[in-house]
């Protein structure tokens, strides 16, 4: 009878109201679980069947370090060896290969599409025999620790929507980023540091911009947004106590502010009020934790040598990789690095070598460092950009110079640790590197796989907003089981 009465007349009941109304403590919990199981099954008021902070199943990874190569590195100069291009240099891309696929406005009006072989050589490395470019000598040494996916593809053909698609699952933006979803889904591991941090660096090439919407919390509580760390004297802006206020006064001020906000929350019930209080408290605790994490003076000479001398220069990719390891080992759930400068529409041979020099040693060092500390198994590391580059030249092709346009149809990334099979090459492209030929991996498949490794079912990690249930993978995506150990 009680279950029938609640279902007929109490559809607005949530767990809090049910227990407070019954006022019988643990007895009410037991009775409620027997009479109305749905009240205690992890669902909340919005109808989603998910309890934040509890994974759906045992995770293989605890944390993610995402080395995002902003601007889209050419797979043809890094991980996807295409000797056929040498035989066909200067010949027009066959119409049968290109088909009706979309082109950017930068090459759509070209009269021809001359095929451009890579200026660099490739060799095979490791037990997998993976082909790695000569511009990636350090990555070639860790090839047995990484899984190279050569069959990635996306729907976006320009930087802004492609970047946004990778990070939020939508090309339009205003959605929570991947790091925010993980913060929401798994909760905090270190109460003195944020769940999600962002580090920026830049090479010498054409630096496509990055913007705060890439680490936005979207419609999730603001406590889940990414916190950007800078290279300046203050790694996190506005973290210091105001002039004329000491720590004790700051503590008293926050206590009084929390009391006022609690009164507002009781009156209006706006969850952002509680989220704001949590942010104030996090900022207070970070005043001690952040300087300690950002201090590299205690790193050994061997570690400095491993990452290279640039790791002591604030704001470089190498320094950010070393900081990413420190943040991760201190419990930061998602560390996102953006390295700008991979957009080589022209002068590719020179610029991509510079980008590789900036990133290759430190990327490999991060894997080695995590492995020797026993942290690689529980840390998922990702390296890659937002799309690939064309196998034909944008503009004039010469023997020693050329450029490549955007190409969403196929590109390469690599993943390591966190339950991903090491020493593996997955997927294939055609002999010209224009289309995926075997085992395609869509962006949503990639996102579903990342969530899976952290114990989250991408179809169940849901948040109801404005009457619709949203998820990172939107309405598609499948876990790539073949690359999971």
């Amino acid at each position: 009878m009680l279950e029938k009465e609640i279902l007929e007349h109490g559809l607005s009941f949530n767990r809090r109201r049910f227990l407070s109304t019954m006022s019988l403590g643990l007895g009410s919990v037991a009775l409620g679980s027997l009479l109305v199981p749905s009240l205690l099954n992890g669902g909340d008021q919005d109808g989603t069947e998910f309890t934040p902070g509890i994974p759906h199943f045992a995770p293989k990874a605890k944390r993610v370090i995402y080395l995002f190569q902003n601007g889209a590195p050419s797979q043809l100069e890094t991980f996807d060896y295409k000797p056929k291009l040498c035989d066909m240099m200067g010949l027009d891309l066959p119409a049968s290969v290109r088909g009706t696929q979309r082109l950017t406005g930068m090459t759509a009006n070209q009269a021809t599409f001359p095929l451009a072989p890579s200026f660099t050589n490739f060799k095979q490395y490791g037990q997998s025999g993976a082909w790695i470019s000569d511009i990636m000598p350090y990555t070639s040494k860790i090839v047995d620790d990484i899984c190279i996916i050569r069959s990635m593809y996306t729907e976006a053909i320009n930087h802004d929507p492609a970047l946004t698609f990778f990070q939020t699952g939508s090309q339009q933006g205003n959605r929570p980023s991947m790091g925010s979803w993980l913060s929401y889904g798994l909760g905090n591991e270190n109460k003195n540091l944020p769940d999600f941090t962002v580090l920026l660096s830049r090479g010498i090439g054409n630096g496509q911009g990055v913007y705060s919407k890439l680490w936005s919390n979207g419609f999730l509580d603001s406590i889940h947004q990414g916190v950007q760390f800078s290279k300046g004297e203050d790694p996190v802006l506005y973290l210091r106590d105001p002039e004329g206020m000491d720590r004790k006064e700051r503590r008293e001020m926050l206590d009084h502010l929390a009391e006022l906000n609690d009164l507002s929350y009781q009156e209006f019930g706006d969850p952002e009020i509680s989220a704001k209080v949590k942010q104030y408290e996090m900022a207070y605790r970070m005043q001690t934790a952040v300087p300690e994490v950002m201090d590299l003076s205690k790193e050994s000479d061997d570690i400095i040598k491993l990452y290279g001398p640039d790791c002591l220069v604030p704001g470089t990719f190498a320094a950010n990789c070393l900081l990413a390891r420190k943040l991760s080992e201190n419990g930061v759930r998602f560390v996102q690095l953006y390295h700008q400068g991979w957009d080589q529409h022209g002068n590719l041979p020179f610029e991509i070598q510079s980008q590789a020099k900036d990133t290759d040693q430190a990327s490999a060092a991060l894997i080695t460092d995590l492995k020797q500390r026993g942290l690689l198994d529980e840390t998922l590391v990702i390296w890659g950009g937002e799309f690939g580059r064309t196998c034909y030249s944008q503009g004039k092709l010469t023997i020693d110079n050329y450029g490549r346009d955007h190409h969403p149809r196929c590109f390469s990334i690599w993943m390591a640790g966190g339950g991903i099979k090491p020493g593996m090459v997955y997927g294939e492209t055609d002999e010209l590197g224009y289309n995926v030929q075997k085992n395609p991996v869509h962006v949503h498949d990639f996102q579903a796989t990342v969530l899976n490794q952290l114990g989250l079912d991408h179809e169940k990690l849901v948040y109801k907003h404005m009457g619709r249930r949203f998820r990172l993978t939107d309405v598609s995506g499948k876990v790539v089981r073949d690359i999971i150990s």
Side-chain angles (χ1 to χ4, degrees):
M1 290 294 295
L2 179 58
E3 178 180 4
K4 181 179 179 181
E5 183 178 346
I6 291 176
L7 293 177
E8 288 181 354
H9 305 292
L11 293 180
S12 62
F13 265 51
N14 56 26
R15 285 171 290 173
R16 178 183 299 173
R17 185 176 174 191
F18 175 81
L19 296 176
S20 63
T21 301
M22 295 295 285
S23 302
L24 294 177
L26 291 176
S28 297
V29 175
L31 180 62
S33 65
L34 291 172
L35 296 176
V36 191
S38 62
L39 286 173
L40 303 174
N41 68 355
D44 40 33
Q45 281 180 277
D46 64 12
T48 63
E49 297 183 357
F50 175 70
T51 302
I54 302 177
H56 299 116
F57 45 83
K60 292 180 178 288
K62 294 181 179 179
R63 294 169 289 276
V64 175
I65 299 176
Y66 196 162
L67 311 177
F68 199 88
Q69 309 305 310
N70 187 29
S74 169
Q75 72 279 13
L76 300 169
E77 274 71 33
T78 52
F79 303 111
D80 202 1
Y81 179 43
K82 295 300 172 187
K84 186 70 173 179
L85 291 175
C86 294
D87 300 332
M88 299 181 67
M89 178 179 176
L91 299 180
D92 200 31
L93 175 68
S96 59
V97 175
R98 181 161 62 91
T100 59
Q101 293 178 14
R102 182 183 175 194
L103 303 176
T104 75
M106 291 170 284
T107 54
N109 295 321
Q110 283 190 194
T112 62
F113 300 91
L115 294 170
S118 175
F119 73 93
T120 186
N121 295 318
F122 281 71
K123 297 184 182 68
Q124 287 180 287
Y125 297 91
Q127 294 181 352
S128 66
W131 291 93
I132 306 292
S133 163
D134 286 353
I135 68 172
M136 297 283 189
Y138 290 92
T139 301
S140 68
K141 296 176 182 178
I142 61 158
V143 72
D144 283 335
D145 294 314
I146 67 176
C147 173
I148 301 171
I149 302 175
R150 290 179 175 160
S151 52
M152 286 295 306
Y153 72 99
T154 184
E155 300 163 18
I157 200 169
N158 289 311
H159 293 287
D160 186 312
L163 275 164
T164 309
F165 193 38
F166 248 103
Q167 301 308 320
T168 71
S170 170
Q171 296 186 45
Q172 283 71 43
N174 300 318
R175 300 278 184 88
S177 62
M178 190 187 303
S180 296
W181 277 113
L182 287 175
S183 173
Y184 165 69
L186 297 176
N188 191 276
E189 199 174 11
N190 183 339
K191 67 178 183 179
N192 296 324
L193 289 169
D195 301 326
F196 176 19
T197 62
V198 179
L199 300 164
L200 308 182
S201 58
R202 183 168 183 166
I204 67 168
N206 178 23
Q208 286 294 329
V210 292
Y211 5 82
S212 59
K213 74 173 182 178
L214 299 175
W215 50 91
S216 168
N217 56 294
F219 43 70
L220 298 177
D221 288 346
S222 56
I223 194 68
H224 301 300
Q225 74 177 11
V227 175
Q228 182 183 342
F229 282 31
S230 70
K231 64 180 180 180
E233 184 179 349
D234 293 322
V236 181
L237 297 179
Y238 313 116
L239 199 60
R240 294 186 179 187
D241 292 325
E243 187 174 348
M245 177 179 285
D246 60 24
R247 293 281 287 173
K248 180 181 178 182
E249 292 172 324
R250 176 77 164 224
R251 180 68 267 167
E252 291 175 350
M253 181 270 290
L254 289 175
D255 291 340
H256 290 307
L257 188 60
E259 292 175 3
L260 292 172
N261 278 300
D262 186 56
L263 292 173
S264 296
Y265 179 76
Q266 291 180 34
E267 181 176 356
F268 301 107
D270 185 352
E272 270 301 296
I273 296 175
S274 296
K276 187 64 68 176
V277 173
K278 291 178 183 178
Q279 287 178 313
Y280 292 149
E281 292 294 337
M282 173 63 74
Y284 179 79
R285 295 191 297 269
M286 284 170 62
Q287 287 182 311
T288 301
V290 168
E292 182 177 343
V293 172
M294 300 293 283
D295 181 12
L296 302 181
S297 64
K298 297 178 182 178
E299 297 295 325
S300 69
D301 292 341
D302 288 342
I303 290 297
I304 302 303
K305 183 178 180 181
L306 180 66
Y307 284 87
D310 280 353
C311 75
L312 297 177
V313 181
T316 62
F317 181 79
N320 287 348
C321 280
L322 182 50
L323 286 173
R325 187 220 79 204
K326 295 193 67 177
L327 288 164
S328 183
E329 71 180 342
N330 278 278
V332 175
R333 186 76 67 184
F334 193 93
V335 185
Q336 178 91 62
L337 276 66
Y338 288 96
H339 187 68
Q340 303 169 73
W342 289 97
D343 193 23
Q344 282 96 38
H345 290 272
N347 200 22
L348 182 146
F350 170 74
E351 290 188 5
I352 200 168
Q353 287 187 84
S354 175
Q355 288 294 106
K357 185 178 179 181
D358 283 344
T359 60
D360 179 45
Q361 180 176 355
S363 300
L366 178 62
I367 300 300
T368 302
D369 194 6
L370 290 170
K371 186 176 180 180
Q372 65 191 15
R373 292 171 186 270
L375 296 172
L376 185 58
D377 288 344
E378 64 183 39
T379 308
L380 177 60
V381 183
I382 306 162
W383 189 103
E386 64 266 36
F387 42 60
R389 315 300 297 202
T390 55
C391 58
Y392 58 81
S393 177
Q394 177 179 340
K396 185 177 181 181
L397 169 67
T398 67
I399 193 69
D400 58 1
N401 201 5
Y402 54 93
R404 298 193 190 277
D405 198 6
H406 309 164
H407 189 60
R409 294 302 304 164
C410 59
F411 56 103
S412 300
I413 69 169
W414 60 255
M415 304 171 74
I420 298 296
K421 288 181 180 177
M424 182 181 187
V425 177
Y426 186 77
E428 295 178 10
T429 58
D430 61 33
E431 61 182 2
L432 298 180
Y434 196 84
N435 292 298
V436 172
Q437 189 168 276
K438 182 180 178 182
N439 295 327
V441 179
H442 185 264
V443 172
H444 285 322
D445 301 334
F446 160 79
Q447 292 164 337
T449 304
V450 172
L451 294 180
N452 180 82
Q453 298 310 94
L454 283 105
L456 296 171
D457 184 333
H458 73 106
E459 293 183 340
K460 295 180 180 179
L461 182 61
V462 175
Y463 189 89
K464 189 175 181 181
H465 175 64
M466 298 185 69
R468 179 190 163 183
R469 289 172 175 81
F470 287 88
R471 67 188 209 213
L472 175 63
T473 53
D474 199 33
V475 295
S476 61
K478 62 183 184 298
V479 177
V480 186
R481 300 287 177 186
D482 293 341
I483 68 171
I484 298 173
S485 59

